[in-house]
Amino acid sequence: CTLNGTISDVLNMMGGLFGYAKNATINIENIKLGLNILCKPDKDFGDSGIYCGGLIGYADSSKITIDGCEVYLDNLKVEGYKYVGGLIGSTVYCDVAIDNVDLERSTTKNLQVVSGYYDVGGLIGYVGQKPNGGFHIKNSTIAFPIGGYSSVGGMIGSWFGYSPKGSTIEPLFFLSRRMFRPPFLMSSAPINGS
């Protein structure tokens, strides 16, 4: 399956396949991801630009398996305000298994591939984990700049809750740089006097 094109709105919960999933079983295999997802904040809509991901915006109490995902035609860009991830914006109480993911962009000059303000990650923006949930990531590569201001990570922006027994995070390759200034803010106030 190949996802290519642009998704843009000022609302919340935007993803290439699913904006919102609850109590779901999601199996994604061998997908090519070439999307530009712009989940931009708008002060007239209150809390907006939240839960943005290349595949899933927000998942709650779900079982998610991603096996085989790569960037299509060197085209992947995910922008939001909070809970922004290259694959998933936010998971809460989910069992997650990610394997064989290759998120690389060769043309990244002056480009933040995954960017937001809070809770920004190369794979997942925010993880809220339960004590008996499973969380496994292996054989994955993240090679692009990630931009944000607070809780920014190459793999996961922010983790809250438990680190379940039996969870694994193994062979990962990171070649990314963090860019501290987000691409946009909800106000026009300067950052650090600039």
Side-chain angles (χ1 to χ4, degrees):
C1 177
T2 300
L3 298 176
N4 194 22
T6 299
I7 300 172
S8 178
D9 206 333
V10 296
L11 302 178
N12 299 322
M13 298 184 211
M14 292 176 59
L17 289 175
F18 304 99
Y20 174 79
K22 182 165 177 140
N23 298 319
T25 299
I26 300 170
N27 294 306
I28 300 170
E29 295 182 4
N30 302 318
I31 193 161
K32 293 182 179 180
L33 190 55
L35 289 172
N36 288 304
I37 296 179
L38 178 57
C39 187
K40 55 188 174 181
D42 186 321
K43 61 182 178 177
D44 294 332
F45 285 92
D47 286 339
S48 59
I50 301 173
Y51 307 116
C52 311
L55 295 174
I56 302 167
Y58 177 84
D60 183 359
S61 305
S62 297
K63 182 175 181 180
I64 302 167
T65 302
I66 300 171
D67 187 0
C69 179
E70 66 183 47
V71 174
Y72 177 68
L73 295 177
D74 210 27
N75 184 37
L76 172 65
K77 188 163 173 52
V78 182
E79 293 183 26
Y81 181 67
K82 187 173 183 181
Y83 309 129
V84 182
L87 294 180
I88 304 170
S90 176
T91 66
V92 177
Y93 301 143
C94 292
D95 291 322
V96 177
I98 297 173
D99 193 7
N100 298 312
V101 171
D102 185 11
L103 298 183
E104 296 183 63
R105 290 260 333 234
S106 62
T107 55
T108 60
K109 186 176 181 181
N110 299 320
L111 174 69
Q112 298 174 17
V113 176
V114 175
S115 61
Y117 201 72
Y118 299 106
D119 303 308
V120 182
L123 292 178
I124 304 171
Y126 173 87
V127 174
Q129 197 64 351
K130 60 185 178 180
N132 58 349
F135 196 90
H136 306 278
I137 300 176
K138 59 184 182 175
N139 303 316
S140 297
T141 300
I142 302 162
F144 50 67
I146 298 167
Y149 181 73
S150 177
S151 298
V152 179
M155 180 178 57
I156 297 169
S158 180
W159 181 294
F160 181 80
Y162 297 86
S163 179
K165 289 183 180 180
S167 292
T168 55
I169 297 176
E170 58 186 47
L172 293 176
F173 176 73
F174 294 102
L175 179 62
S176 63
R177 69 177 189 259
R178 178 178 171 192
M179 302 174 111
F180 290 94
R181 186 172 179 142
F184 48 75
L185 297 173
M186 290 187 71
S187 72
S188 60
I191 300 175
N192 299 328
S194 58

